[in-house]
Amino acid sequence: TTDITRTIAVGNAPQEQKRHFTLVLKGHIAIATARFPKGTTGAQLDTLARHALWSAGLDFDHGTGHGVGSYLSVHEGPQRIAKTGTVPVKAGMILSNEPGYYKTGSHGIRIENLELVREAEPVEGGDRDMHRFEALTLAPIDLRLVVKELLSPAEVSWLNAYHARVRSEVGPLVDSGTREWLEQATRRI
């Protein structure tokens, strides 16, 4: 079972849409890079995806992520990253990471990856067992919609590393024309 929703530009996007896309991307990256103690619930993680939007006076009215089944339902619980997500996130679970933003009568944005929950490597001096996410989805994020100046250096590094992984793992599987497009779509910013 899989699930991916990814906003792409059709034509030239206004600056407001690019700003909103970048704020959603910041939330996506916050989830993708999160390290969190064992026993953390989806409700605790949900705020990470909303922080950049909240700082701009914006929000979205859906959960950030849902569990994904194997051979079953694409929306499968009990795990979820949402304000109502009370189940602890455990290693081996697959969840979507899909913050969004919707401006009534104008545009909607969603950036979704599926993430596998993994045990995180210990941190020197740390005293808690931690988890992290590993992206399972390998699809370009539309760079035409990214306002680089709104991203921190760490967020730019994450985006460049993610796109390098997409190129490395997907590139050998596609024909030469698609590979040329992929190289451009996943270029460093």
Side-chain angles (χ1 to χ4, degrees):
T1 305
T2 190
D3 189 18
I4 179 173
T5 305
R6 184 78 102 232
T7 298
I8 59 170
V10 177
N12 294 319
Q15 199 60 32
E16 178 187 51
Q17 289 178 8
K18 292 178 182 181
R19 178 175 167 268
H20 291 157
F21 184 91
T22 306
L23 294 173
V24 171
L25 177 60
K26 290 171 77 68
H28 180 90
I29 294 170
I31 294 292
T33 59
R35 290 179 53 93
F36 49 96
K38 287 184 177 180
T40 298
T41 66
Q44 291 171 297
L45 293 169
D46 187 70
T47 59
L48 296 174
R50 297 174 190 276
H51 177 73
L53 287 165
W54 285 351
S55 295
L58 307 170
D59 200 3
F60 53 95
D61 295 325
H62 58 79
T64 297
H66 55 79
V68 178
S70 175
Y71 306 106
L72 298 172
S73 174
V74 72
H75 288 206
E76 184 174 306
Q79 73 274 23
R80 57 188 298 169
I81 301 173
K83 294 174 184 177
T84 58
T86 59
V87 173
V89 175
K90 297 180 182 178
M93 288 180 168
I94 296 174
L95 293 113
S96 65
N97 171 7
E98 53 181 306
Y101 175 72
Y102 308 90
K103 183 171 181 178
T104 303
S106 178
H107 58 276
I109 296 161
R110 185 85 62 111
I111 304 172
E112 180 179 15
N113 276 356
L114 295 186
E115 307 276 355
L116 174 63
V117 181
R118 294 262 194 204
E119 304 266 338
E121 302 76 24
V123 175
E124 186 176 334
D127 63 3
R128 301 284 171 105
D129 291 330
M130 306 291 278
H131 285 134
R132 65 177 177 84
F133 290 112
E134 175 188 331
L136 298 176
T137 304
L138 298 176
I141 293 169
D142 194 341
L143 296 174
R144 298 169 298 169
L145 293 169
V146 175
V147 180
K148 182 179 179 183
E149 296 74 25
L150 295 178
L151 298 177
S152 71
E155 290 165 335
V156 170
S157 292
W158 178 90
L159 183 57
N160 286 333
Y162 174 75
H163 276 158
R165 183 175 169 217
V166 172
R167 273 192 314 276
S168 158
E169 293 187 33
V170 176
L173 305 175
V174 297
D175 62 55
S176 61
T178 304
R179 194 172 311 108
E180 284 179 31
W181 171 84
L182 186 66
E183 292 287 331
Q184 178 62 22
T186 61
R187 69 192 178 280
R188 293 181 61 79
I189 63 166

